[in-house]
Amino acid sequence: MLNKTIVKVAIPVVIGALALTGCAGDSEAGDGGSYKIAFQGPLSGDNTALGENEDKGVRLAIDQANAKGDLPFKLEYLPVDDQGLPEKATAAAQKAIDDPDVMAVVGPAFSGPTNSAAPLFGDAGLTALSASATNPTLTEQGFKTFLRGVPNDSAQGAGMATYYAKKLKAKTVYLVDDKSDYGVGLATVAEKELKAAGVKVIKKSVPAKTPDYSAAAKEVVNSKADALIYAGYYQDGAPFAKKLDEAGYKGAAISGDGTNDVKFIELAGKATEGWYLTCPCTDANVESATKEFTAEYKKKFKVNPGTYSAEAYDLANMIIQEMKKLGDKVDRQSLHQALQKATYKGLTKEFSFDDKGELKIQNVYLYQVKDGKIEYQGAIEELAGS
Amino acid sequence: MSLNEFWDYLVLGVVLGSIYAVIAIGYTLVYGVLQLINFAHSEVFMLGAYGGLISLTIIAPGDSPSALASVGYVALGLAAGGLFGAVTAYGLEKVAYRPLRRRGAPRLIFLITAIGASFFLYNLAGKLFGRDPLPMPDAYENKKVFTLFGADLNVTQLLLLGAAVVMMIGLDLMVNRTKLGSGIRAVSQDAEVAGLMGVDIDKVISRTFVIGGVLGGAAGYLYGTFTQVKFDMGFIPGITAFAAAVVGGIGNIRGAMLGGMMLGIVETLTVPVFGGEWRHVGAFVVLIGVLMFRPTGILGERVGRTA
């Protein structure tokens, strides 16, 4: 009996130990060994465009680091696809976690997936460093290893409000959200800030995938509001913009990073002319600091960098910088501690995190659609003159 | 809401309603001959939109085509939409429903097949054409044409209305005046007896699908012009049009037209009164309200008696 029990316990223990040493052997290969940086985001499905922007940024950073040849190890890349969906995020995260060579993850790209995947990353001690998950509540939940390399939606909502109140001196702002987590979060902050600045706000919801935006657009016109905020994504922002144009809306219009995509213009054409778009991201195609990056990116992928490409590139480089410092002794835990405390001067901004994992500097930038192109205007705080 | 505003919204509602009406006809026709709710009809609509998109992309209209060219492009879009819709509907009947009919499968199996076919088709479209929305190439410059009692009407809206009215009148005449029309009516009244009287049931059913497909596909092109083209664009209009067909009396063609118009108007009026998030609630409250007092819909069931 006793023997049997021992055997019962011993076998799994031995197997477990073997498995562990097997893993350890892989990752502690030392000189000439290899580590991986993963990226989690939508690489298929509805929101592929955004995921691919970041995927390419990370890919470029890793290739450049390897080419430079001063790393004490070889870097590899592991993309995992969550389709931007919370229910697919756990499986995708698990894939990165199960690979013992993965030292850190850039991502998840979206807020919903971050919410479901971050606890898993926390338990595995694997750092998740997102370039674009902007929902403000993500850093309030005590995720152990989540760092946010992007200003959250509060910053964007506040930026829109500042611009309308101080620069355009809007009297009545018509605020529409799309009922998504992202849209409602953005709208709530904007409403609060606008009211604080003494601007009248009319707040409405028009859920995403509404079959016809004509009536909603008519309402905006009838309300006599002189400015509009649309808190949602371009898939719905585009038909809405089209119908606003048809309804004869002449006021200002602004939307956030969910709409800040060339697809917005492709879909709604001339109706988007003059729309303001905000983003916590700088335009890699315009900012002088990112010129070299843009050239390299274009050379490698034959396309211009998109929204969040440069941010993802920066974050991957930040991880590489810290891994380099740790040398071949790097493991998940030490890397997380290092990243939490690190400061990295990237192309787009300076990255450093507070205790909750929130980015310390929260700048938001303004863009405007002019002649069918999204043109960079500058940092909102500077434009609004405060 | 002032009278003027009410008029504005009413016009928007009629435009949307005309689209719903044309799609609803597809549901009702098929129900008439097969007593089947063809849930894949929303995909016929979606593929029609892609048909229009593809044809207009190949023969790309310039920035501002002349009036005559515009008419040609619209006609091409409608024709391509109708063709794609017809082929899809015909294929659906052939592949998904006819084998079931041959084996005398229970009703429920048809319904599940319809839903499965719908899933298959819209995911296939997503795979083939990408899952991002695409803009329908502009076949004309969308100007304001005239003002009717204070409501502005632009080219797209007039096109939608005009095309829908023409299609509905054409269909009504066809069903009531032609040989194929009497065949459809005969099969929907009593398929077995119609068969005994020498009506080729298979042919009639197959053609009914094609007619519904042409209308659905053309409506898809129109709706694509109205908003944008996306692989899952058929779902919401499809469900609403199905509800419209039920409101009017499923199987009844004029009922489907009436129901479509009604739901379009109610949905649109719900927006200023209760807010954009309530639009479907408005429409479905009407559906339930009508069914409580007239369980067979406003005009009652049956294709055979069109009015």
Side-chain angles (χ1 to χ4, degrees):
Chain A
M1 285 296 269
L2 187 71
N3 280 348
K4 251 190 186 166
T5 332
I6 288 173
V7 170
K8 261 190 195 160
V9 177
I11 289 179
V13 167
V14 169
I15 291 175
L18 279 174
L20 277 177
T21 48
C23 301
D26 272 352
S27 58
E28 280 173 17
D31 209 40
S34 71
Y35 294 112
K36 285 180 189 162
I37 292 177
F39 164 72
Q40 183 182 336
L43 296 170
S44 65
D46 274 6
N47 301 296
T48 313
L50 237 155
E52 282 184 344
N53 288 346
E54 293 186 27
D55 162 72
K56 293 195 174 94
V58 177
R59 210 180 276 264
L60 181 64
I62 291 174
D63 285 358
Q64 285 180 347
N66 278 329
K68 231 173 159 189
D70 60 349
L71 289 176
F73 43 76
K74 204 171 158 299
L75 263 183
E76 284 173 36
Y77 177 53
L78 177 75
V80 290
D81 179 16
D82 65 13
Q83 298 181 23
L85 302 172
E87 63 270 24
K88 308 258 172 175
T90 45
Q94 199 59 47
K95 211 172 141 194
I97 291 166
D98 288 346
D99 188 332
D101 290 345
V102 172
M103 289 296 117
V105 181
V106 178
F110 284 19
S111 298
T114 305
N115 221 342
S116 47
L120 294 179
F121 287 130
D123 291 343
L126 185 59
T127 313
L129 188 48
S130 178
S132 55
T134 49
N135 189 305
T137 59
L138 290 175
T139 46
E140 306 292 328
Q141 303 182 35
F143 296 138
K144 275 180 259 167
T145 58
F146 176 66
L147 301 173
R148 168 155 44 205
V150 62
N152 64 36
D153 290 337
S154 311
Q156 262 194 91
M160 290 177 186
T162 310
Y163 193 73
Y164 270 176
K166 292 201 177 139
K167 180 80 180 178
L168 299 185
K169 311 240 183 286
K171 290 187 185 63
T172 311
V173 172
Y174 198 100
L175 177 57
V176 179
D177 70 60
D178 70 346
K179 290 233 132 197
S180 70
D181 279 1
Y182 163 76
V184 173
L186 198 63
T188 312
V189 180
E191 184 188 23
K192 205 177 92 197
E193 297 287 328
L194 282 169
K195 282 189 171 156
V199 179
K200 198 179 150 214
V201 179
I202 306 168
K203 190 163 177 273
K204 299 272 169 151
S205 288
V206 181
K209 298 195 178 181
T210 288
D212 175 17
Y213 280 90
S214 311
K218 196 95 220 162
E219 260 204 298
V220 177
V221 175
N222 288 341
S223 74
K224 308 267 189 295
D226 50 355
L228 167 89
I229 294 178
Y230 180 69
Y233 298 96
Y234 66 84
Q235 287 95 330
D236 287 277
F240 191 28
K242 228 170 143 178
K243 295 296 159 197
L244 278 166
D245 186 49
E246 282 172 21
Y249 177 71
K250 295 276 183 276
I254 199 168
S255 190
D257 58 340
T259 312
N260 195 342
D261 194 305
V262 286
K263 295 248 167 62
F264 177 55
I265 300 172
E266 280 169 24
L267 287 169
K270 278 179 244 161
T272 58
E273 203 59 30
W275 269 68
Y276 293 104
L277 301 166
T278 63
C279 189
C281 54
T282 49
D283 187 347
N285 301 310
V286 171
E287 288 273 286
S288 59
T290 52
K291 273 226 172 90
E292 198 185 332
F293 161 74
T294 308
E296 293 275 321
Y297 189 100
K298 225 174 150 177
K299 203 174 104 196
K300 191 165 165 67
F301 304 113
K302 315 276 180 257
V303 287
N304 277 324
T307 307
Y308 292 122
S309 291
E311 277 75 5
Y313 173 80
D314 273 351
L315 290 175
N317 273 323
M318 181 177 191
I319 293 169
I320 294 168
Q321 171 195 292
E322 294 308 310
M323 283 174 79
K324 212 155 105 185
K325 279 187 200 158
L326 291 165
D328 56 2
K329 289 283 176 292
V330 63
D331 59 30
R332 288 176 178 182
Q333 202 191 349
S334 61
L335 183 59
H336 175 250
Q337 284 166 354
L339 284 167
Q340 178 82 51
K341 281 181 290 205
T343 303
Y344 175 72
K345 179 90 188 76
L347 299 174
T348 55
K349 53 184 165 281
E350 190 179 280
F351 295 90
S352 59
F353 309 100
D354 67 11
D355 294 343
K356 288 177 179 167
E358 195 76 81
L359 191 70
K360 278 187 187 153
I361 301 166
Q362 302 258 322
N363 274 343
V364 178
Y365 304 89
L366 188 76
Y367 297 76
Q368 191 178 18
V369 181
K370 281 182 184 165
D371 298 324
K373 287 203 182 71
I374 299 176
E375 287 194 4
Y376 179 69
Q377 307 288 303
I380 284 197
E381 291 294 317
E382 288 165 28
L383 293 171
S386 59
Chain B
M1 192 166 36
S2 70
L3 191 65
N4 220 340
E5 282 176 25
F6 172 77
W7 188 251
D8 271 356
Y9 292 111
L10 189 67
V11 167
L12 297 177
V14 169
V15 171
L16 182 65
S18 62
I19 294 264
Y20 287 159
V22 176
I23 311 172
I25 291 170
Y27 284 98
T28 240
L29 273 175
V30 167
Y31 185 85
V33 292
L34 274 186
Q35 280 80 51
L36 157 75
I37 304 297
N38 179 17
F39 275 113
H41 190 60
S42 50
E43 272 39 78
V44 170
F45 169 77
M46 177 267 297
L47 286 169
Y50 276 105
L53 176 82
I54 291 167
S55 67
L56 286 180
T57 308
I58 294 170
I59 308 171
D63 264 346
S64 43
S66 67
L68 192 67
S70 289
V71 174
Y73 288 133
V74 170
L76 173 72
L78 283 170
L83 180 70
F84 266 61
V87 170
T88 312
Y90 178 79
L92 266 174
E93 198 270 328
K94 201 101 197 185
V95 175
Y97 304 133
R98 187 167 293 186
L100 294 179
R101 211 145 40 78
R102 287 273 152 75
R103 290 179 179 78
R107 280 284 139 72
L108 203 56
I109 306 295
F110 278 88
L111 200 66
I112 293 166
T113 307
I115 295 170
S118 168
F119 277 12
F120 170 75
L121 284 176
Y122 85 72
N123 279 303
L124 182 71
K127 197 108 189 125
L128 287 179
F129 308 118
R131 286 164 202 269
D132 253 334
L134 297 168
M136 183 70 82
D138 290 321
Y140 50 84
E141 207 182 329
N142 192 15
K143 289 181 291 209
K144 194 169 89 179
V145 182
F146 59 81
T147 308
L148 192 69
F149 302 108
D152 296 335
L153 277 165
N154 59 36
V155 183
T156 306
Q157 289 169 325
L158 284 174
L159 172 67
L160 252 57
L161 268 176
V165 169
V166 169
M167 284 195 271
M168 288 192 277
I169 292 175
L171 180 81
D172 206 73
L173 288 177
M174 197 214 69
V175 169
N176 288 319
R177 303 276 168 85
T178 65
K179 203 169 163 207
L180 173 61
S182 43
I184 292 175
R185 279 181 291 145
V187 172
S188 56
Q189 276 182 3
D190 195 327
E192 221 168 309
V193 175
L196 291 174
M197 305 298 268
V199 176
D200 186 343
I201 300 178
D202 276 348
K203 217 181 215 169
V204 168
I205 288 175
S206 167
R207 285 183 183 170
T208 308
F209 267 88
V210 168
I211 294 165
V214 169
L215 295 181
Y221 163 69
L222 293 171
Y223 185 74
T225 311
F226 187 62
T227 59
Q228 56 197 17
V229 184
K230 200 174 172 219
F231 74 104
D232 63 354
M233 66 186 279
F235 184 70
I236 290 173
I239 292 285
T240 315
F242 163 57
V246 174
V247 164
I250 187 95
N252 186 318
I253 294 172
R254 287 180 187 168
M257 300 178 192
L258 180 74
M261 279 293 171
M262 226 171 106
L263 288 199
I265 293 168
V266 170
E267 250 192 39
T268 307
L269 287 176
T270 313
V271 176
V273 179
F274 298 104
E277 64 264 58
W278 295 100
R279 63 183 309 144
H280 299 303
V281 178
F284 282 85
V285 164
V286 169
L287 172 69
I288 293 167
V290 167
L291 293 187
M292 265 162 65
F293 297 103
R294 286 194 65 92
T296 53
I298 298 173
L299 298 187
E301 279 181 30
R302 281 301 213 11
V303 127
R305 300 170 204 124
T306 36

